[in-house]
Amino acid sequence: EAGVAQSPRYKIIEKRQSVAFWCNPISGHATLYWYQQILGQGPKLLIQFQNNGVVDDSQLPKDRFSAERLKGVDSTLKIQPAKLEDSAVYLCASSSSGIYNEQFFGPGTRLTVL
Amino acid sequence: GDSVTQMEGPVTLSEEAFLTINCTYTATGYPSLFWYVQYPGEGLQLLLKATKADDKGSNKGFEATYRKETTSFHLEKGSVQVSDSAVYFCALRVRGNQFYFGTGTSLTVIP
């Protein structure tokens, strides 16, 4: 079974630039999550999709962050414009709909904002 | 609100020592509980899970018991190895398939 795919693995940009991350979840997983993990901290949920609908985006800084999941499969997360404090690893995870099922994580995208 | 509180690190142990990493939670209803591990340079991986009170999750010599009365899910291993050096995250899953993570505990095992 293929895992969660993310790209790019690394990205370096200057502040005020834009950046986009891509995620392909495990086939058949209805739920997709984007997390932000700042160095030394635990993952913080940014947005959760169920199929192509948003379940929770309460911690997404909507003035600069946006995410979509067209057709309920792949997803993109965008930051525009980036700030220094956005430097972090952005993790994508997916899970199936069973109530006891865990999340499977992708390798993450390490973003550095200079 | 729902949350997880983890023992702060870093933790440094000698090989074959006993490991405990404390985790307590706050949640309404009946959450599922998880331990994830992040090895250096790698992504998060599920280590073990428990879905109801008194369940014991186990994997790779690690164990954790879901204690509803103390709202805890402490991670234990009887004899750690150098290869166990990693960051360990406690997490809970609540209604709506939402997950909350602790801040992580870094473990270093020295030979």
Side-chain angles (χ1 to χ4, degrees), chain A residues 24-71:
Chain A
N24 181 239
I26 291 173
S27 178
H29 280 191
T31 309
L32 185 148
Y33 311 79
W34 283 104
Y35 289 90
Q36 180 191 59
Q37 186 179 17
I38 293 172
L39 186 65
Q41 299 182 18
K44 183 185 86 170
L45 180 68
L46 293 176
I47 189 167
Q48 176 185 344
F49 292 95
Q50 180 74 16
N51 296 309
N52 60 351
V54 175
V55 174
D56 182 359
D57 64 356
S58 57
Q59 297 194 86
L60 186 73
K62 298 181 185 63
D63 57 335
R64 299 185 300 107
F65 286 64
S66 64
E68 61 182 11
R69 190 184 184 196
L70 300 177
K71 301 181 181 179

Side-chain angles (χ1 to χ4, degrees), chain A residues 1-32:
Chain A
E1 179 182 77
V4 177
Q6 287 188 250
S7 68
R9 292 294 309 277
Y10 305 92
K11 190 74 176 179
I12 300 174
I13 61 173
E14 296 190 349
K15 60 183 179 183
R16 291 188 289 274
Q17 286 188 321
S18 301
V19 64
F21 312 127
W22 174 82
C23 173
N24 181 239
I26 291 173
S27 178
H29 280 191
T31 309
L32 185 148

Side-chain angles (χ1 to χ4, degrees), chain B residues 52-98:
Chain B
K52 61 183 186 298
D54 300 325
D55 267 4
K56 178 185 284 188
S58 61
N59 186 26
K60 298 181 181 180
F62 290 88
E63 293 183 340
T65 302
Y66 187 159
R67 302 284 189 200
K68 191 167 176 63
E69 63 276 13
T70 54
T71 62
S72 65
F73 192 56
H74 305 322
L75 182 68
E76 296 181 336
K77 186 173 186 181
S79 176
V80 294
Q81 306 300 312
V82 172
S83 57
D84 294 326
S85 298
V87 181
Y88 293 82
F89 293 91
C90 186
L92 67 87
R93 172 183 171 156
V94 295
R95 66 204 175 286
N97 223 6
Q98 292 162 317

Side-chain angles (χ1 to χ4, degrees), chain A residues 9 31 33 35 37 40-45 48 50 55-56 59 91 95-108, chain B residues 30 32 34 36 38 41-46 49-52 87 89 91-104:
Chain A
R9 292 294 309 277
T31 309
Y33 311 79
Y35 289 90
Q37 186 179 17
Q41 299 182 18
K44 183 185 86 170
L45 180 68
Q48 176 185 344
Q50 180 74 16
V55 174
D56 182 359
Q59 297 194 86
L91 298 168
S95 71
S96 58
S97 299
I99 61 172
Y100 300 134
N101 291 338
E102 74 269 21
Q103 297 177 106
F104 293 86
F105 283 85
Chain B
Y30 302 95
S32 295
F34 304 84
Y36 281 83
Q38 191 170 34
E42 299 185 17
L44 279 159
Q45 306 172 23
L46 178 68
K49 68 178 181 181
T51 56
K52 61 183 186 298
V87 181
F89 293 91
L92 67 87
R93 172 183 171 156
V94 295
R95 66 204 175 286
N97 223 6
Q98 292 162 317
F99 285 76
Y100 297 88
F101 285 80
T103 53

